[in-house]
Structure formats: C-alpha cells, structure tokens
Amino acid sequence: MSKFLHTMIRVGNLDRSVKFYTELLGMKELRRRDVPDGKYTLAFLGYGEGNAEGQGEIELTYNYGTETYEQGNAFGHLAVGVPDVAATCEKVRTGGGKVTREAGPVKFGTTIIAFVEDPDGYKIELIQR
C-alpha cells in the first residue's frame, strides 16, 4: 500500500526554520541527517512519531552556503490543521512570524482559515480542525 511520506522545501537557515515549525506551529523534529560529502543537511518535522502511519512530514533541506532561494510561482502552500486558527496566528505573530491573512471564513464557505509565512517565505494555510 502506498502512502504520502513528505514534502521537501529548501531553507536558508536550518535552525531558524526548525525553530519556526517547532515553536510556533507545534511540530516535532523527528530526525536529522547531515551529509558533509553532499554539503547538505536534512531535518524532518511533523506531528507524528517518525514515520507514523498516515502522518505526512516536512523535509527541510539546507544546502551548505545557500542562504536564500527565489520563490517560484508554481508552488502554492503547505496546509496545517490546528484547533484554533486565531490563537495560532497570534502565536506566530508574537514569535516574530508573518501573518498574511487573518483568521476568518474561507471565501464562499464557513471553514476558518488563515495564512502565515515561514522564515523563507513559504506560505502555510492554517485550517481550523
């Protein structure tokens, strides 16, 4: 049986990004792998316990010496279910993060959503669950 494993995004500062996802969005760093010969480090984050059944993860990839990436226009966003979108927005804001759309109902619907950005500018949709 197949299952979704992870989404990889490149980051300019691994520690800064891990801090954002763990402290502001409540994820856990599940594992990390440094590959000096390849000049990169991988950190896998998520809400499960390392490859837990049905739990997707984010793979943060830091390539040695690359501090910024150009954001293309093909990637949309990551989506994270949270119990309270407004409270999560406030946590992101007070933690120094950027809220780009405040908590409120989705257009033409009732589901509460918001959008925030991680330190590298990746958009994250918060969906109230």
Side-chain angles (χ1 to χ4, degrees), residues 102-127:
E102 294 294 335
V106 68
K107 193 173 187 179
F108 307 114
T110 57
T111 302
I112 304 300
I113 67 165
F115 278 88
V116 300
E117 285 185 8
D118 82 354
D120 290 279
Y122 291 106
K123 295 178 182 36
I124 302 160
E125 180 182 16
L126 304 174
I127 303 171

Side-chain angles (χ1 to χ4, degrees), residues 11-106:
V11 299
N13 180 309
L14 188 59
D15 292 333
R16 176 188 70 192
S17 293
V18 167
K19 182 177 180 177
F20 175 86
Y21 285 98
T22 59
E23 292 183 10
L24 302 182
L25 296 183
M27 292 183 183
K28 299 176 199 168
E29 183 174 335
L30 304 171
R31 60 195 175 283
R32 186 181 290 222
R33 183 171 158 226
D34 187 43
V35 185
D37 290 341
K39 298 184 179 173
Y40 66 88
T41 303
L42 309 175
F44 291 84
L45 290 83
Y47 293 105
E49 296 295 330
N51 289 329
E53 190 64 32
Q55 294 290 322
E57 301 172 355
I58 297 174
E59 173 189 335
L60 302 179
T61 299
Y62 170 70
N63 293 295
Y64 297 5
T66 304
E67 294 180 16
T68 59
Y69 288 93
E70 194 172 311
Q71 298 288 321
N73 62 2
F75 179 79
H77 61 269
L78 303 170
V80 175
V82 298
D84 186 332
V85 169
T88 304
C89 283
E90 189 56 32
K91 187 173 186 178
V92 167
R93 189 181 352 273
T94 58
K98 184 176 179 183
V99 177
T100 60
R101 185 213 192 260
E102 294 294 335
V106 68

